[in-house]
Structures are given as structure tokens and as C-alpha cells.
Amino acid sequence: MASPPEPDAGGLTDYERRRAENIRRNGVILDSLRRKAAELSAIIQLSRPPTKKQQPRARPCAPAVVRRSLRTQGLPPPPASGPAPAPPRRSTRITPSLASSILDATSPPAPEAKVRDDGFDARTELVLRPSNVRRLVSADRIPSLRILPLVDRTVVAAGSNVGHVGFWVVDDDGDDAHRVFEYMPHLSSVGAIVAHAAKTQKIYSCSHGGEICLMDLERENFNINRLSEFPILSLCQAPNSPSCLYFGEETDVKLFDDRIGKVSTSWNAHASRINSIDFHPENTYMLATSSRDGTACMWDLRTMKKKGVESLVVLEHDRGLQSAYFSPSGHMVATTSLDGIVRVFSVDNFENFHTVERNNNIGTHLSTFKAIWGWNDMDLFIGNATRAIDVISVDLNDSSISTTNNACLKSEHMVSIPYRFSAHPCKVGHLACSSSSGKVFLWTRA
């Protein structure tokens, strides 16, 4: 075992002696650093220019304000402005007079939900009278429009870009206070408005805010039936079941059953947002959808419950599609793309189609066009940038489809570009169109 270190003559061990030496050396170094810091500080102080002590600035006195009333100045009082004007009627409580106008109307029999007239010539028989121009909503744009399926009267419903829904009872007498009604059931742009001929007392609408709203005329109120986190821009009722609502939620088509209050069927239909849904007028199991992905698809609802469902046919386009609608007979389907191009396909042979030649210089308008069919398989209506309506004549034969686009409807009373249309399902010759001015124009027979 090693012995402990022996102390030196001063009584310190070797370790203690080295420690004391280190302490002394560090002290010498610190003293040297303090001297250098003091010298440097003195040099800096000598190099700074002397500063003058700033005196506080005096606050400027505010000018005295002399307040003198008109009475003390010997002037008469201003004229009374009267009570402030009442705000426009915007609520979710339905006005009883509107409810009675629709409930008292006659609904069409089920087999004749939409009338047809192959002899009607829209080019010569439709006119726009000054009395048939109305502002239905206080907002600028009307992205959705629908004439309700009523036999003995005309009621136009319009949805605005800020969530308002306006109604115009065209046949009632009196001023607009008893004919035009505006409500605010949604908080964002209204995507579509639908009403079934078998149940006209219930009107549905959808919005960019993901709402499906029921307007119940019997209860005189609006109810939110479904709320989604995605925009809902397309809505359609099944022909044989008014309570079955097919709607597009982003890339999916979903079936909402209002009787049970939930979605019963859902399938992925497109790669982008769905813009329209339409049923075949004869084959109620056949459905057409259009999407921003540039395709229109045909579906067979009888196969929807199977896994890995596929569309019957896919119609491809260069630009995104705004709509795909069946003709009144169901023999054709017309599509409208984002650039305003219209194509007409034969349902019996989709390779038989025709692209409509028209002026597609739509500029930078905020709204897009959607072509709709009239009351026969011969007329398509679509707006153009010259504040007119193109009437496209269609001819289908066994081997080909031909179109003619050399007629249009113009009127000095239509002061803005029409881009949404609705044909009266029960009255031939009643065509409504909306514009970006918040107005609705109703063309009727001459």
C-alpha cells in the first residue's frame, strides 16, 4: 500500500503547493485584464463628443372649438328626415302570402311532370316584356334559378351569391311587396334550387357552405337538413321519390334520404368538384354528372350498391364541365364546358356527337354559362356575351347529329348578360334567365 505524500518545510503537501501557485498566477492575470479594461474605458469616454441635455418640448395647445347651435346663430332647424327606411325583408320565416300562393296552385299529375311541344318555335314566339323584369335578390349575382312545377301559375325562385333566396309570384296582381319575397336561409352562395312536381310544398336548396336547406311551405319555415364541411353545388331529386336527394360533395355523389335524415348511398364519381346532376326523363335509374375534371359520366343506379362501381360511359372534354343535361325525350345529352363550348351526344351511341359552333369570347366574366333544353329535342338555350340568348337548333338522325346556331333572342330590356336558365316545366313558352345584376328576365309567348 502506497504511503501518503510528506509535507515540505512549510507544512504544505505537493498538491497544496501547486494549488496555491495556480491561484497566485490567476490573480496576476485578472489584475492585468482589469487595468487594460480601465484604460480602454477612459479612451472611449475621451473620444465621445459632449452631449447637451435635451429640454422637454412643450405640448401644443389644442385650438379652442366654439360650438354654436343653429338656434344660437339665429338659423332655422334643418328639415326632418323622417324615419329610416325599413330594411329589406330577409328572414327564415316564410311569408304566409307566398306560402298560400304556392300551396293553392295546381301540381301536375305524375306522368306529365314536364310538358313537351315539338311544334314550338322559340325563335319567333318568345318576347321579353318590360313588366317581366324583376330584381329578386339584393345581391349582385344569381347562380341558381328555378321555375316551380305548378300548372296554373308561374313562380320563379332565385338563389344569390350571398345566400339569399328570392321568389317572384308572376301571376299575382299588386305591387312587388306582394309579389317578390326575399329570404336568407344560407350564409354563402346558393348552388341549386329544386322542387318536385309530386311535392311542391317542399323546396330544397344547397350552398357553398355545405348546407342543404328545406323550405317547408306548410310549416312556413326553413330547416337545415344536412350540413357538410364541403361545398355542395349540385342537387337533384329522384324522379320517382321526392324525398331522395342526390347531391355532389366535392368528388362524391351522395344520396340523402330526407325520410330518415341521413346519407344512405355514396360513391366516388369524379376527380374534381361535381357541378351538375341530372336524371334521364324515361329511365329513372340513369344519371348524368359533370365535373371540373373535364368529364361527364353516365351512371346506372341499379349497380350503386356494388363495390367498385363504374360509370356506363365517360365523355371527355378539354376544359372543366359546367353541366350535362338530358333532352326532354332522353335521346340526347348536352354538355357545356368552362369555355362555353356546347356538345350534343346521342344516348344510343355516344360516339355520335356534335360540337356547336358559337362565339366563345366570354371574356373575364365572373359567371359561367350552362346550356339547357327547352320543351323539345330541337332547342337549346345558352347566354352569350352580347346580352342575348343563343337558340341552338338540334337535329338527330340515325347516323349523325347536326346543329345550327344562327338565331338569338335579344331585347332592349335585358341589360345584362344572361347565364342561368330555367324553362317552365308545365307551361310551354315561359323561359326565365338570370344575370350578374341580381335581376330575372322572364320570356313569354308573344
Side-chain angles (χ1 to χ4, degrees):
M1 181 175 179
S3 59
E6 297 181 359
D8 59 3
L12 298 176
T13 64
D14 183 55
Y15 168 76
E16 291 174 338
R17 187 174 60 254
R18 289 197 303 269
R19 181 172 177 273
E21 181 65 21
N22 289 336
I23 292 174
R24 184 191 64 81
R25 189 182 300 110
N26 291 339
V28 173
I29 295 174
L30 290 175
D31 290 340
S32 175
L33 292 175
R34 292 190 186 99
R35 287 194 301 271
K36 292 182 179 180
E39 294 174 358
L40 182 61
S41 177
I43 294 173
I44 294 175
Q45 291 294 335
L46 292 174
S47 63
R48 286 181 178 176
T51 58
K52 295 181 180 181
K53 187 176 181 180
Q54 295 183 353
Q55 299 294 330
R57 295 181 179 179
R59 294 183 178 178
C61 297
V65 179
V66 179
R67 295 182 173 89
R68 297 184 62 188
S69 64
L70 296 176
R71 180 180 60 81
T72 59
Q73 299 180 41
L75 299 176
S81 58
R89 183 166 44 219
R90 299 174 186 170
S91 66
T92 57
R93 190 71 184 177
I94 300 173
T95 309
S97 58
L98 172 63
S100 61
S101 297
I102 299 176
L103 292 175
D104 295 343
T106 303
S107 300
E112 301 176 3
K114 189 172 183 179
V115 297
R116 292 183 57 187
D117 187 350
D118 293 336
F120 177 72
D121 187 0
R123 299 156 195 77
T124 59
E125 297 188 46
L126 286 180
V127 296
L128 178 61
R129 298 176 173 87
S131 58
N132 284 342
V133 179
R134 284 292 186 281
R135 176 180 290 276
L136 299 194
V137 291
S138 54
D140 293 334
R141 292 191 295 134
I142 300 179
S144 57
L145 189 68
R146 180 74 60 180
I147 299 182
L148 303 186
L150 304 172
V151 173
D152 55 352
R153 66 192 58 187
T154 301
V155 179
V156 183
S160 77
N161 61 324
V162 294
H164 297 186
V165 176
F167 292 88
W168 175 21
V169 184
V170 179
D171 307 293
D172 283 358
D173 297 328
D175 55 12
D176 281 356
H178 299 88
R179 301 174 64 190
V180 178
F181 307 87
E182 183 178 3
Y183 307 94
M184 192 175 65
H186 298 283
L187 299 178
S188 57
S189 182
V190 181
I193 301 173
V194 296
H196 201 284
K199 195 173 287 189
T200 55
Q201 70 273 21
K202 291 189 176 183
I203 302 170
Y204 295 90
S205 58
C206 63
S207 75
H208 286 233
E211 303 164 335
I212 294 181
C213 185
L214 166 63
M215 177 183 179
D216 195 328
L217 295 172
E218 294 178 333
R219 298 182 180 180
E220 297 185 358
N221 61 9
F222 290 87
N223 294 310
I224 302 297
N225 278 11
R226 175 176 170 79
L227 190 63
S228 169
E229 59 182 357
F230 299 105
I232 301 177
L233 307 184
S234 52
L235 185 66
C236 187
Q237 290 172 287
N240 51 3
S241 180
S243 300
C244 292
L245 301 173
Y246 288 82
F247 65 96
E249 186 179 79
E250 285 293 288
T251 62
D252 296 340
V253 175
K254 297 186 177 183
L255 167 58
F256 177 78
D257 194 333
D258 196 20
R259 295 165 296 187
I260 59 177
K262 65 179 183 180
V263 173
S264 60
T265 304
S266 176
W267 75 92
N268 184 260
H270 290 274
S272 188
R273 187 182 70 191
I274 298 172
N275 286 328
S276 72
I277 301 175
D278 189 39
F279 274 91
H280 193 283
E282 302 293 337
N283 302 328
T284 56
Y285 55 83
M286 191 173 182
L287 188 71
T289 60
S290 68
S291 169
R292 286 180 57 185
D293 63 6
T295 64
C297 296
M298 307 296 145
W299 306 91
D300 188 340
L301 297 182
R302 297 172 297 183
T303 64
M304 288 298 101
K305 295 183 179 180
K306 298 180 181 180
K307 294 183 179 180
V309 60
E310 294 183 358
S311 60
L312 299 175
V313 66
V314 178
L315 308 177
E316 297 183 354
H317 297 67
D318 296 333
R319 298 287 301 275
L321 286 187
Q322 295 299 310
S323 62
Y325 296 134
F326 288 106
S327 65
S329 68
H331 293 156
M332 290 176 287
V333 61
T335 62
T336 309
S337 61
L338 187 62
D339 52 6
I341 292 179
V342 178
R343 286 181 181 171
V344 183
F345 296 83
S346 171
V347 174
D348 295 330
N349 179 15
F350 286 100
E351 294 182 357
N352 181 12
F353 69 92
H354 184 79
T355 301
V356 180
E357 299 294 337
R358 59 187 300 267
N359 181 13
N360 298 318
N361 185 20
I362 59 176
T364 58
H365 302 296
L366 297 176
S367 305
T368 54
F369 298 117
K370 293 184 177 182
I372 71 163
W373 296 91
W375 299 270
N376 50 50
D377 282 14
M378 298 177 289
D379 293 331
L380 276 170
F381 300 99
I382 186 172
N384 64 40
T386 64
R387 300 176 182 176
I389 303 173
D390 286 339
V391 183
I392 302 172
S393 301
V394 183
D395 182 25
L396 171 66
N397 54 48
D398 296 336
S399 59
S400 64
I401 297 176
S402 61
T403 63
T404 304
N405 184 27
N406 55 12
C408 65
L409 302 175
K410 289 186 177 182
S411 172
E412 60 180 344
H413 309 299
M414 194 159 64
V415 295
S416 52
I417 300 173
Y419 63 96
R420 290 293 180 269
F421 294 86
S422 179
H424 201 309
C426 307
K427 289 184 178 181
V428 176
H430 282 62
L431 178 69
C433 58
S434 64
S435 67
S436 57
S437 64
K439 292 183 179 180
V440 172
F441 309 91
L442 181 64
W443 294 72
T444 56
R445 271 180 158 167

